[in-house]
């Protein structure tokens, strides 16, 4: 599988799971299936058999509930055995929600592996103003989580180290979004949609300001 022009080696167990699941998916959705993609740790790295889920994005013309029931019935055992987590959206839902899930869509755009269909993220524009708003919201939540981790592990250095390691891994999409915003600030300084304008604010002191 590949991200753009770059070929990415996917774990053989993940490939096997996808190969078993896809005929079932096609049998249920047939020509309504628009795009299927692998995402998360199975695509971006860090996937661990027996621990991590195999996340699959499924985009269809019509997210008919009856077909969802049919897929659940047909694929229930396979989904459980291989820890496959399908995420099903209609094409319209996907194309009209980049302002609501900019961080998640940026992560998909940059790291997902296309299994079949057209890459709908290729031409998708993710506005910096929406990205910055969600990034700041997530950073505020992260600060609170860090405080709870410190409170809950005080006096136990080993537990603190393990908990921090687990927490840091869950923040990768946020880190990548923050880097994207920083790059956008440098490349678009002075333009109306730049992250560093008066309306959107600068990212330079964002983390220190949130932590204070």
């Amino acid at each position: 599988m590949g991200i753009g022009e770059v070929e990415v080696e996917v774990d053989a167990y993940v490939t096997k799971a996808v190969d078993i699941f896809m005929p079932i998916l096609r049998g249920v959705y047939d020509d309504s299936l628009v795009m299927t993609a692998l995402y998360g740790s199975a695509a971006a790295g860090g996937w661990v058999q027996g621990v991590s889920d195999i996340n699959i994005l499924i985009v269809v013309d019509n997210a008919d509930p009856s077909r969802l029931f049919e897929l659940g019935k047909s694929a229930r055992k396979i989904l459980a055995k291989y820890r496959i987590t399908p995420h099903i959206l209609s094409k319209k839902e996907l194309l009209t929600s980049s302002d609501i899930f900019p961080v998640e869509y940026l992560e998909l755009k940059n790291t997902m592996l296309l299994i079949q269909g057209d890459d709908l993220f290729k031409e998708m524009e993710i506005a910096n103003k929406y990205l910055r708003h969600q990034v700041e919201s997530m950073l505020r939540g992260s600060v609170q989580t860090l405080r709870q981790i410190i409170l809950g592990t005080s006096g136990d250095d080993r537990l603190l180290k393990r908990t921090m390691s687990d927490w840091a891994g869950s923040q990768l999409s946020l880190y990548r979004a923050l880097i994207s915003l920083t790059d956008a600030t440098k490349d678009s300084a002075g333009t109306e949609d730049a992250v560093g304008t008066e309306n959107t604010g600068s990212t330079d002191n964002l983390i220190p300001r949130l932590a204070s």
Side-chain angles (χ1 to χ4, degrees), residues 37-57:
L38 189 67
Y39 72 99
S41 60
W47 181 86
V48 179
Q49 184 174 337
V51 176
S52 307
D53 289 343
I54 298 173
N55 298 300
I56 298 179
L57 175 67

Side-chain angles (χ1 to χ4, degrees), residues 149 153 157-169:
I149 288 173
T153 60
D157 291 344
R158 298 175 82 180
L159 179 59
L160 175 61
K161 183 177 180 180
R162 185 169 67 250
T163 305
M164 285 293 294
S165 178
D166 292 341
W167 173 84

